[in-house]
Amino acid sequence: MIERDDLDVENPGIQQEKLEAAFDLLKQIEAVDKRHGYDRVVRPLRLREKRLRVWRWVAACAAIVCPLIVGEIWLTERSIDDIPLVKTDSIVPGMSKARLVLGNKKEVLLDTLSTRDLLVDAGITIRKEGKGVIYESRQQAGEKDPVYNELIVPRGGEYDVILEDGTHVWLNADSKLKYPAVFTGKQRRVYLEGEGYFDVAKDSIRPFLVETREQNIQVLGTAFNVYAYFGEQMNYTTLVRGKVSVRDKRGGKQWILHPGQQVCMDVTNEECVVREVDVRKEIAWKDGLFVFHGQTLEQIMTKLARWYDITVFFQSEEAKSLLFKGNLPRYSDFQIMLNVLEKSSNVQFNVKDRVVTVSI
């Protein structure tokens, strides 16, 4: 079980640890792009490796590019203290928190549980470990009707769960996962809204199915990421290892993915395309890093709004379509996020009472 400690101002050591882990991943990703990344990012970082222990320096070293405005901008050595920050009234990153709805409709705030507290539902024991929960069952799965639980992660949160069959699921902010407390029958079916990374326990007899509003995803044992937020135009399924079958529920089309492939689905017109991607960038959120690869400012602010639990308004339609590329530690202070975006373009942010107004 991956442990996710709460990140708050009273635990600067934990913040530093998470940021350092995210920055290690950043260095690995940027090292791949040798033409643009090595000379601009990796080489300076290696020369100053001993100084990476300083939290503010780590955050300042986050890189972001805005090709439509000024070409490539890599903030590798500029101190954050040298740049005026956008005032954000101490908006902090998300932390591990979730609500669990049991089969009898009882709701449990998992943040309030200790590792000594045990829950029991449908003959299974649910215990907390770190910042996640584990389902443990000693009974043999039968053919009786399943008892469903639902794990609800709010905006500004994240959580992970190990299901009864051993499948490990990480949920991003503003996501829901509905699943049987004990898998019964000939298949293992769960329901996802939002974003989740699945490391599925292998079972050659009972396939594992993830159902979203738009798609059915079937596997036997593999690892993949699903991005399926209600109200967003695009859904993405990305395969890390193994093999998955993805079926469009409305059109009936089906795709078989191999590692490194992604199905992109436009839910408004049901158009789909399969493409090759760098899976490390697609699942970097799970390891504490935002990776923006040619995404619009509107897409970026949608992700930041979920993670920092804020509301965003655009005063300019032009600002929505600005393209950015680069990386930022997920556990950075919100001030730093906005500061880097401002310094990479001519966009401006105004923050008041957790409401961010974007203009040019």
Side-chain angles (χ1 to χ4, degrees), residues 244-268:
V244 303
S245 168
V246 181
R247 184 176 65 85
D248 175 7
K249 294 170 71 172
R250 290 186 289 178
K253 296 181 180 179
Q254 185 171 336
W255 301 266
I256 303 297
L257 295 187
H258 298 280
Q261 291 186 323
Q262 178 185 78
V263 171
C264 309
M265 178 180 182
D266 189 325
V267 300
T268 58

Side-chain angles (χ1 to χ4, degrees), residues 55-99:
W55 180 84
R56 291 174 66 84
W57 193 91
V58 170
C61 285
I64 192 162
V65 177
C66 182
L68 293 185
I69 306 301
V70 290
E72 294 176 303
I73 299 176
W74 295 88
L75 302 180
T76 56
E77 297 193 35
R78 176 180 291 182
S79 170
I80 204 70
D81 292 321
D82 297 335
I83 307 173
L85 294 177
V86 178
K87 294 183 178 180
T88 60
D89 297 327
S90 300
I91 296 177
V92 297
M95 59 187 67
S96 296
K97 55 183 177 181
R99 177 164 49 96

Side-chain angles (χ1 to χ4, degrees), residues 290-309:
F290 283 111
V291 175
F292 306 131
H293 44 92
Q295 294 181 347
T296 66
L297 184 59
E298 184 177 27
Q299 292 173 317
I300 291 172
M301 294 308 296
T302 296
K303 293 181 178 181
L304 295 184
R306 291 195 188 101
W307 182 236
Y308 289 95
D309 191 17

Side-chain angles (χ1 to χ4, degrees), residues 27-44 46 72 74 278 280-281 325:
K27 288 199 295 180
Q28 295 174 30
I29 290 175
E30 294 300 348
V32 175
D33 187 354
K34 296 184 181 299
R35 186 180 69 176
H36 297 305
Y38 186 83
D39 288 336
R40 298 174 184 268
V41 177
V42 180
R43 190 188 303 276
R46 287 181 174 173
E72 294 176 303
W74 295 88
D278 184 342
R280 292 174 303 171
K281 294 181 179 180
K325 179 182 178 182

Side-chain angles (χ1 to χ4, degrees), residues 82-140:
D82 297 335
I83 307 173
L85 294 177
V86 178
K87 294 183 178 180
T88 60
D89 297 327
S90 300
I91 296 177
V92 297
M95 59 187 67
S96 296
K97 55 183 177 181
R99 177 164 49 96
L100 179 63
V101 182
L102 300 174
N104 59 5
K105 305 304 179 183
K106 178 182 177 181
E107 298 190 9
V108 180
L109 293 178
L110 296 177
D111 318 31
T112 65
L113 293 183
S114 72
T115 55
R116 297 185 300 273
D117 295 323
L118 298 178
L119 302 173
V120 178
D121 196 19
I124 194 168
T125 299
I126 308 167
R127 65 180 177 86
K128 187 174 182 179
E129 181 177 302
K131 295 300 179 180
V133 289
I134 298 179
Y135 282 67
E136 297 176 329
S137 175
R138 297 180 179 178
Q139 67 183 48
Q140 187 70 26

Side-chain angles (χ1 to χ4, degrees), residues 155-210:
R155 292 164 63 91
E158 62 181 352
Y159 220 77
D160 63 311
V161 56
I162 296 182
L163 304 179
E164 172 265 337
D165 69 330
T167 293
H168 196 164
V169 186
W170 289 259
L171 292 178
N172 206 344
D174 199 17
S175 299
K176 300 177 184 178
L177 183 70
K178 184 178 179 181
Y179 52 91
V182 179
F183 288 106
T184 62
K186 298 180 180 180
Q187 59 182 219
R188 299 168 289 165
R189 183 184 297 270
V190 301
Y191 303 86
L192 173 71
E193 181 177 315
E195 184 169 20
Y197 177 83
F198 294 80
D199 192 344
V200 178
K202 189 172 183 179
D203 187 333
S204 60
I205 299 177
R206 298 183 300 167
F208 192 95
L209 293 94
V210 179

